[in-house]
Amino acid sequence: MVRIIALLVAIVLFASLPLVGAAHVVYVFEGSDSAYVNSGHTLVTVCDMETDGNGAYARYTRSGTSVISRIDEPNGSSAGCGQTNPIYSILALQVCEDVAFQTDPCSAWASA
């Protein structure tokens, strides 16, 4: 009986551990601006959270291509965020601030 209880406890504990490679949300930040990829790795969202007159955008890569794609936050720091249409297998992303006549500051690339 003690072995059965110990086995059941072990099974419950093992089942509660996160799976390697399990879906997860990945966030990146540049100042207060942010971007994230959803847990299915099919959707990128970018949010401009700074009322500084500079827009925010996200760059991302996806499986099957070497192209770096871009999604802009369409309404600045007003409510709402920019979002891609669902696409397949986002591999990495970063968020940047669109600063006129200067190099845009960007977060580091994060693997999705």
Side-chain angles (χ1 to χ4, degrees):
M1 183 66 163
V2 171
R3 285 186 177 179
I4 293 174
I5 292 173
L7 179 60
L8 290 174
V9 169
I11 290 171
V12 169
L13 290 174
F14 180 77
S16 67
L17 293 174
L19 298 174
V20 174
H24 59 284
V25 177
V26 176
Y27 287 88
V28 289
F29 295 90
E30 198 300 303
S32 295
D33 299 330
S34 65
Y36 63 93
V37 62
N38 69 336
S39 63
H41 298 238
T42 59
L43 189 71
V44 175
T45 301
V46 58
C47 301
D48 184 350
M49 303 304 291
E50 301 172 353
T51 55
D52 57 6
N54 299 325
Y57 61 93
R59 297 194 296 187
Y60 59 94
T61 60
R62 54 193 173 120
S63 64
T65 180
S66 60
V67 173
I68 296 175
S69 300
R70 175 176 164 154
I71 179 74
D72 287 278
E73 212 288 22
N75 61 356
S77 59
S78 298
C81 297
Q83 200 169 60
T84 60
N85 291 321
I87 52 180
Y88 59 93
S89 296
I90 304 297
L91 299 176
L93 78 155
Q94 75 175 165
V95 63
C96 301
E97 186 170 347
D98 196 0
V99 181
F101 309 111
Q102 295 181 28
T103 302
D104 293 348
C106 296
S107 69
W109 282 92
S111 295

